[in-house]
Amino acid sequence: MAARLAGLLPGELDGQQTEVYRAITGGRRAAGPQSFALADADGRLRGPFNAMLLSPPVGHAVQAVGSAVRYDSVLPDRVREMAILAVAAHWNSAFEREAHEAVGRTCGLSDRVMAALRLGVVPPLTDPTEQTALRTTHALILTGELTDEEYDDAVRALSARGLFELTTLVGYYGLLALQLRVFAGEGPSAD
């Protein structure tokens, strides 16, 4: 399925769209080394960011949540990236998988771990925090809830704040995957 939403050039944006564009391309996502391009060579936003321009008030809020999840979270980088890749695998989101495999490599995720995540499997991990975080992510993806035991394990491993941030991450990347399916034509029939 082809992209349904044409990318807008920076010169085609109105004032509110320009604010969202600048928050994405000039914010923390753009600072330092980039593992994946936020815009194409002509400046059109890539992936889920393009659709955020449709409703600047909502798009700005959504991109701010994403920025907070990626840059202000207590979750370790490896935990964050493995959780994102688990969500991407569940939703079959090619853009998020490719983008965050690139980020995952910078965090030290091995090809073996990323291959398991692509299959929707919890890989064998030596770090108990990572293992618990990924089991928790899979429970959230598959059932949308945690048993009392899963909740207690997650709070012990991640803290209540870390669990809150993990649930936010799972919801945020699920939202992006849904928007990519609707506006970019991504999904099972796109591969």
Side-chain angles (χ1 to χ4, degrees):
M1 185 184 304
R4 295 172 172 157
L5 182 63
L8 296 173
L9 292 167
E12 298 171 332
L13 305 178
D14 67 24
Q16 286 186 318
Q17 290 171 322
T18 298
E19 287 178 32
V20 175
Y21 184 93
R22 285 185 182 146
I24 293 167
T25 61
R28 292 194 280 183
R29 286 180 188 89
Q34 288 186 356
S35 299
F36 61 94
L38 299 169
D40 69 14
D42 295 321
R44 292 179 192 91
L45 292 177
R46 295 183 62 236
F49 302 113
N50 183 44
M52 292 179 191
L53 299 174
L54 290 173
S55 172
V58 175
H60 188 71
V62 170
Q63 77 77 28
V65 169
S67 180
V69 165
R70 287 227 21 231
Y71 303 107
D72 296 325
S73 176
V74 298
L75 296 173
D77 292 346
R78 286 174 51 91
V79 165
R80 182 193 67 239
E81 293 306 318
M82 284 189 286
I84 293 168
L85 290 170
V87 174
H90 175 76
W91 282 89
N92 194 27
S93 181
F95 178 87
E96 293 301 339
R97 181 182 62 244
E98 291 167 14
H100 287 279
E101 282 185 357
V103 177
R105 282 185 191 88
T106 69
C107 299
L109 296 184
S110 69
D111 288 337
R112 179 186 58 80
V113 166
M114 289 190 286
L117 293 170
R118 257 182 249 119
L119 296 173
V121 176
V122 177
L125 299 165
T126 57
D127 184 298
T129 299
E130 291 179 358
Q131 190 75 30
T132 300
L134 207 44
R135 277 196 320 267
T136 302
T137 300
H138 277 266
L140 294 169
I141 290 168
L142 297 174
T143 68
E145 61 186 355
L146 299 176
T147 66
D148 288 342
E149 182 180 350
E150 290 168 331
Y151 174 86
D152 291 341
D153 288 347
V155 169
R156 266 193 302 279
L158 303 170
S159 78
R161 176 182 170 170
L163 178 56
F164 172 78
E165 292 175 357
L166 183 63
T167 62
T168 303
L169 179 150
V170 169
Y172 173 75
Y173 282 94
L175 167 69
L176 295 187
L178 176 64
Q179 290 177 340
L180 282 162
R181 282 176 178 236
V182 171
F183 295 105
E186 219 183 71
S189 60
D191 284 347

